[in-house]
Amino acid sequence: MKHSGLFSLPLRVWLMISSITASGQTYNYDESKAGNYVLPELLISADGAQVKNRKDWENIRRPEILQLFTDQVYGRIPGSPPGMHFKTIATDAAALGGRAIRKEIDIIFGASSNAPVLHLVLWLPAGVKKAPVFIGLNFLGNHTVHPDPNISITNTWKEANQGKAVERGVRIARWQVDTLIAHGYGLATAWYQDLEPDRADGWKTGIRTTLAEALNCPADAWGALAVWGWGLSRIMDYLETEKTVNAKAVIATGHSRLGKAALWGAANDQRFAMVVSNNSGEGGAALSRRDFGETVKRINTSFPHWFIGTYKQYNDAVNSLPVDQHMLLALMAPRPLYVASAAEDLWADPTGEYGSAYHAGPAYALYGKNGLPTPVPPATDNPVRAAVDYHRRTGKHDVTLYDWQQYIAWADRHLTKVR
Ligand code: GTR
């Protein structure tokens, strides 16, 4: 896979200058130096046999790939803790001017009253009997997703953010709740740091420690991305109990590090009917072997807690990884997958995100579905529709209304049968 001429000359010059960071370390932004590499074979199993049909895929190759990512990259995702239960904290039957029902639910990870809690906020479109729901973790707290003054500022958020101003609705542009509701979709979201604080020693106070025994899973058997992915599955556990949710039409989403988490979560949990990776980059949708923007070494150094210890062995040996990220995307098959990039988000390597989506295609072909048609990424703002959808929109690392409009149109197209 060689691409060149994707960027204009002034942009390329700027990129070369800007690739030198404060630490003096350089990161490549020159497409011609992204490297010559051979991707691991998606459809050849460990014993060398060609995977010819969906039976071989489901019984042999898919489990092998899942195990490789578990052992080498992200770690395990355990099941639900014993005694897990749900408590509805608040219900507003006339939210968003009567167009939605808003609920707050505590997902309590154990029978005891002091078990760790994930605070969920859920909007459902009023009058819809079985709504499809987008779910995703948020970065800054539930109250930042929408300006509604009744959304709780949770205790866990307050404790972790002492002295910080409460900024209701600051992330509304990233969540587009009103647009989702207007199109008949629900939204379920929770603050990711309820599960594990996002710092190197966050595991000490997060669920990797507090639930290690209950889950029978030692803290070093998984990384923070796996923890956040696990959280999506626990939200799914709740949604399965909610009568007005169509549990067969739940769409796992995530932006950036939370996009990486959504991919690993959905790889492990096939209850998610569809999956969105928004600008997930290195360790998410982007091919690791391409030397462009963030690298395995850099991500393991900046965020040592995201992956398991074993992954660090590949810091200077990325070509010896037994997997690459096209294989992670292939684990979504045959479920509809949407991979989105942003043109200015070069750190996340848009071309590598596309390449990975393209190379996941053969897994979809086993189900008679067409993957992306060509290895060359489409022009900016020209979404490609296939079993794996892709767009690279104008602008920076973010989730925008444009992104959501594409996800809604995509979901509308795929969910006609289940709605
Ligand atoms: C960056 C990191 C990326 C991406 C991003 C984010 O600093 O290098 O891998 O995850 O953070 O989550 O916003």
Side-chain angles (χ1 to χ4, degrees):
M1 269 212 316
K2 257 194 149 204
H3 308 291
S4 56
L6 287 172
F7 307 113
S8 66
L9 190 60
L11 182 58
R12 264 185 264 163
V13 171
W14 177 83
L15 288 172
M16 271 182 257
I17 298 165
S18 66
S19 67
I20 303 166
T21 66
S23 63
Q25 181 128 28
T26 57
Y27 294 96
N28 180 49
Y29 288 110
D30 179 346
E31 187 56 37
S32 71
K33 296 189 182 134
N36 284 320
Y37 50 84
V38 178
L39 293 177
E41 290 285 352
L42 178 63
L43 296 186
I44 296 190
S45 60
D47 65 0
Q50 179 75 38
V51 172
K52 293 200 199 73
N53 50 46
R54 64 186 263 199
K55 208 170 127 247
D56 292 351
W57 171 252
E58 287 171 11
N59 297 337
I60 302 165
R61 188 57 175 154
R62 188 181 192 282
E64 272 176 13
I65 294 174
L66 200 59
Q67 199 60 48
L68 287 170
F69 277 107
T70 303
D71 296 343
Q72 308 296 324
V73 184
Y74 303 103
R76 282 174 56 192
I77 295 198
S80 316
M84 181 178 82
H85 60 289
F86 312 115
K87 193 167 166 192
T88 302
I89 299 300
T91 304
D92 179 355
L96 309 184
R99 284 174 296 116
I101 297 135
R102 182 178 48 75
K103 281 186 160 188
E104 291 182 336
I105 299 106
D106 279 357
I107 302 179
I108 305 165
F109 297 131
S112 92
S113 57
N114 60 0
V117 175
L118 181 65
H119 301 283
L120 180 71
V121 58
L122 170 67
W123 284 268
L124 291 170
V128 177
K129 280 207 188 82
K130 287 268 173 206
V133 175
F134 281 90
I135 86 171
L137 298 172
N138 64 71
F139 278 85
L140 297 183
N142 293 348
H143 60 281
T144 64
V145 166
H146 193 277
D148 182 339
N150 297 316
I151 299 172
S152 299
I153 316 286
T154 64
N155 285 339
T156 43
W157 187 89
K158 277 189 221 156
E159 272 161 35
N161 290 278
Q162 283 166 25
K164 264 207 197 134
V166 168
E167 299 180 302
R168 288 191 175 277
V170 280
R171 280 292 164 84
I172 179 74
R174 279 200 180 173
W175 291 95
Q176 304 290 341
V177 186
D178 295 83
T179 306
L180 284 166
I181 291 295
H183 284 85
Y185 289 88
L187 174 69
T189 182
W191 184 45
Y192 80 129
Q193 300 204 56
D194 270 2
L195 298 159
E196 174 165 331
D198 190 1
R199 50 172 195 266
D201 65 354
W203 63 272
K204 292 184 181 167
T205 52
I207 62 130
R208 274 199 276 161
T209 294
T210 55
L211 294 181
E213 231 171 272
L215 297 173
N216 193 15
C217 186
D220 63 357
W222 46 335
L225 294 173
V227 168
W228 298 320
W230 176 89
L232 293 176
S233 288
R234 304 296 68 87
I235 297 175
M236 183 70 188
D237 293 342
Y238 171 73
L239 293 178
E240 285 185 327
T241 71
E242 181 62 69
K243 283 192 197 69
T244 52
V245 165
N246 183 346
K248 295 207 161 61
V250 174
I251 306 160
T253 74
H255 170 59
S256 203
R257 67 197 67 183
L258 297 176
K260 309 180 210 294
L263 288 170
W264 184 231
N268 282 273
D269 190 341
Q270 299 196 67
R271 292 175 298 170
F272 297 113
M274 300 171 69
V275 187
V276 175
S277 152
N278 193 91
N279 306 181
S280 64
E282 187 73 29
L287 291 173
S288 306
R289 278 170 175 71
R290 267 175 59 86
D291 181 8
F292 194 101
E294 192 168 26
T295 60
V296 169
K297 185 174 187 170
R298 164 67 191 241
I299 206 167
N300 275 330
T301 309
S302 318
F303 307 103
H305 54 298
W306 284 3
F307 303 87
I308 52 168
T310 321
Y311 196 43
K312 295 177 183 62
Q313 290 174 8
Y314 301 100
N315 281 355
D316 293 306
V318 70
N319 286 312
S320 64
L321 258 171
V323 288
D324 209 312
Q325 298 305 105
H326 65 303
M327 295 159 82
L328 177 68
L329 299 190
L331 296 177
M332 310 307 143
R335 297 168 292 172
L337 167 66
Y338 203 125
V339 175
S341 307
E344 290 171 33
D345 186 16
L346 298 174
W347 186 239
D349 187 12
T351 302
E353 294 186 310
Y354 180 84
S356 188
Y358 172 74
H359 287 288
Y364 284 84
L366 297 173
Y367 293 86
K369 293 175 189 274
N370 293 324
L372 289 160
T374 126
V376 182
T380 302
D381 301 325
N382 272 287
V384 198
R385 305 295 180 217
V388 179
D389 283 39
Y390 177 86
H391 73 245
R392 181 181 60 219
R393 73 160 158 73
T394 298
K396 61 183 175 58
H397 187 67
D398 202 355
V399 196
T400 67
L401 178 59
Y402 176 89
D403 295 316
W404 279 112
Q405 285 167 338
Q406 311 314 310
Y407 304 151
I408 289 168
W410 163 77
D412 280 349
R413 213 171 71 234
H414 286 286
L415 294 177
T416 44
K417 280 184 219 120
V418 292
R419 289 180 90 176

